[in-house]
Amino acid sequence: MTAAKDPRARRLAALAALVSDETRAAFLLALLDGRAWTAGELARHAGVAASTTSEHLGKLIAGGLLGEERQGRHRYVRLADPQVAQLVEDLAGYVAPEDADPPRTLRAASARDAMARGRTCYDHLAGRLGIAVTDGMVARGLLRTDAGFALTEAGVDWFRGLGVEFDRGGRRPPARGCLDWTERRLHLAGAAGAALCRHALAAGWVERIGSERAVRVTGAGERALRAELGWSP
């Protein structure tokens, strides 16, 4: 008589099958920019046919990794929730940058370097910018990382001083560490990380560049981050 199988095993195997396809993995990584994409945009991004895209999106939606929205004739898809984004980014973190194919053009190399300097990871800051912000918060006593990520009381007050509000009692943790796949270190994620990213974009501290997730710090952002977190370019 064999022992009963853990019911989670089937679900885990189904999840692994969903992300094991390279085209579906490309879709999930593209959607880490936090925006909603059309099927056509994803097809062009991954270099696959529209019919193939529709089939893959159907599987990802049925598997609960994507949500879809319809506006008139247009169909948009996005990651289902922050937990899915965390899963995708964590899995991507296990793939070392040196394992990736080297860029073949100057444009591809420039895009890679821009992503490494600063980018959004779903809804929070990542890359060297995200690490610098995290280090600045730790240095100024706003964030603790000795036993997981946690805002200090000074950190909560700092957010209030910026006029940044976020839910500290919801399902999403206020602060957590997210493994940065280019820097191989943890940066700030969670509700606080998302709120800080929204504020940085709204206040003009950072701006998006290109069609990828890359962002750059503006002149106003340099002044604000230097004053608030001791950041230097």
Side-chain angles (χ1 to χ4, degrees):
M1 182 176 180
T2 59
K5 289 184 178 179
D6 188 329
R8 296 172 299 177
R10 178 177 56 83
R11 295 193 292 271
L12 180 59
L15 175 62
L18 276 176
V19 299
S20 65
D21 180 89
E22 187 172 349
T23 297
R24 291 196 290 272
F27 291 169
L28 293 170
L29 287 170
L31 290 165
L32 275 177
D33 68 358
R35 295 178 290 182
W37 290 48
T38 66
E41 289 168 338
L42 287 172
R44 289 189 292 273
H45 175 81
V48 296
S51 58
T52 301
T53 299
S54 180
E55 178 183 351
H56 285 307
L57 291 181
K59 290 180 179 179
L60 290 169
I61 292 169
L65 296 183
L66 297 186
E68 68 174 327
E69 304 169 4
R70 292 188 180 273
Q71 293 186 4
R73 297 169 55 190
H74 298 287
R75 176 200 191 195
Y76 295 88
V77 294
R78 63 169 70 244
L79 296 180
D81 53 43
Q83 285 70 37
V84 173
Q86 177 182 342
L87 170 67
V88 175
E89 187 73 14
D90 286 348
L91 288 174
Y94 284 99
V95 182
E98 57 267 23
D99 293 340
D101 295 332
R104 298 180 180 179
T105 65
L106 179 60
R107 181 177 181 180
S110 298
R112 178 203 60 187
D113 293 344
M115 289 277 282
R117 283 194 299 272
R119 65 183 182 277
T120 55
C121 169
Y122 186 58
D123 60 1
H124 56 272
L125 297 172
R128 292 195 292 274
L129 172 60
I131 295 296
V133 167
T134 301
D135 288 347
M137 293 182 67
V138 172
R140 299 214 166 183
L142 310 177
L143 178 70
R144 293 185 58 184
T145 60
D146 52 340
F149 275 47
L151 291 178
T152 64
E153 286 302 315
V156 173
D157 291 340
W158 180 72
F159 273 97
R160 287 175 180 155
L162 291 176
V164 177
E165 299 292 337
F166 60 91
D167 186 2
R168 296 176 60 196
R171 290 179 54 194
R172 192 176 189 185
R176 72 168 183 85
C178 178
L179 180 62
D180 198 296
W181 60 265
T182 55
E183 302 307 301
R184 317 306 291 171
R185 292 179 54 199
L186 297 175
H187 57 244
L188 174 65
L196 182 57
C197 182
R198 288 195 302 271
H199 178 75
L201 287 166
W205 292 3
V206 299
E207 59 186 8
R208 296 188 183 275
I209 53 176
S211 59
E212 298 289 342
R213 294 183 281 144
V215 298
R216 64 184 168 202
V217 180
T218 65
E222 287 188 16
R223 293 188 293 272
L225 291 172
R226 185 181 297 113
E228 297 291 342
L229 300 174
W231 179 83
S232 60

